[in-house]
Amino acid sequence: SSRTTRATSGRGWAAAAAMALLAFTLWRDLGVLRRDFANITAQATHDRSELERVSAILDGLNAPDAQRITLAAAKTPPQPQGKAIYQRKNSNLIFLASNLPPLPADKIYELWLIPTQGAPIAAGLFKPDAKGDAVVVNPPLPAGIEAKTFAVTLEPVDGPHEAPRGTGVMQGIGE
């Protein structure tokens, strides 16, 4: 009878110790999960803020009532011009064009990334608005390509194309 009491008592202590160990492990894991959740929440808040900032910039650039003013020498007609902002590491590209002539019905403008090595890479088809302005934002580009320059051509509307076939409209030089 005392043997039964000791065995039962020993099992009770073992069960209590196992429960205490399980409780400690769960408590520790809960702390790790709370810390991870706080980090993820902070990152999501940061990402949301960054997205809102970028969205506001793009909204401003694309707003129909945005005033776009090009400065040029007095008494000369404005020439087509473009500005490419490219980040090789992330393949981010924003291209802004102005003063582009209206397109014939069977033509479209095409932006090209001219790499330091290799053939030109299509970086987006676009049509200017009634003022001759156009924007191309983050077209799909291969990662890590080093750009020598960018160019715009007037192409048949059936693009995108493997290589420039049409008339060159403008080409840039690195800054």
Side-chain angles (χ1 to χ4, degrees), residues 72-112:
K75 298 182 183 178
T76 61
Q79 295 297 308
Q81 57 184 320
K83 181 79 168 177
I85 301 125
Y86 176 64
Q87 184 186 26
R88 175 178 66 166
K89 177 176 69 172
N90 298 325
S91 300
N92 289 334
L93 172 63
I94 297 176
F95 175 73
L96 307 166
S98 60
N99 303 319
L100 291 168
L103 288 165
D106 62 337
K107 299 288 183 183
I108 194 163
Y109 289 111
E110 188 158 13
L111 178 63
W112 297 92

Side-chain angles (χ1 to χ4, degrees), residues 110-171:
E110 188 158 13
L111 178 63
W112 297 92
L113 183 156
I114 312 298
T116 54
Q117 297 178 2
I121 300 167
L125 300 169
F126 63 94
K127 292 183 178 186
D129 63 16
K131 295 179 189 175
D133 297 333
V135 177
V136 176
V137 177
N138 286 336
L141 291 172
I145 299 294
E146 186 171 343
K148 178 179 179 182
T149 191
F150 286 85
V152 173
T153 57
L154 185 61
E155 299 287 345
V157 82
D158 66 348
H161 306 96
E162 294 295 318
R165 303 185 316 197
T167 307
V169 175
M170 64 176 109
Q171 184 168 336

Side-chain angles (χ1 to χ4, degrees), residues 28-43:
R28 188 190 66 216
D29 290 350
L30 180 61
V32 169
L33 288 173
R34 282 184 176 152
R35 187 177 61 244
D36 290 350
F37 181 74
N39 289 341
I40 290 169
T41 301
Q43 183 64 45

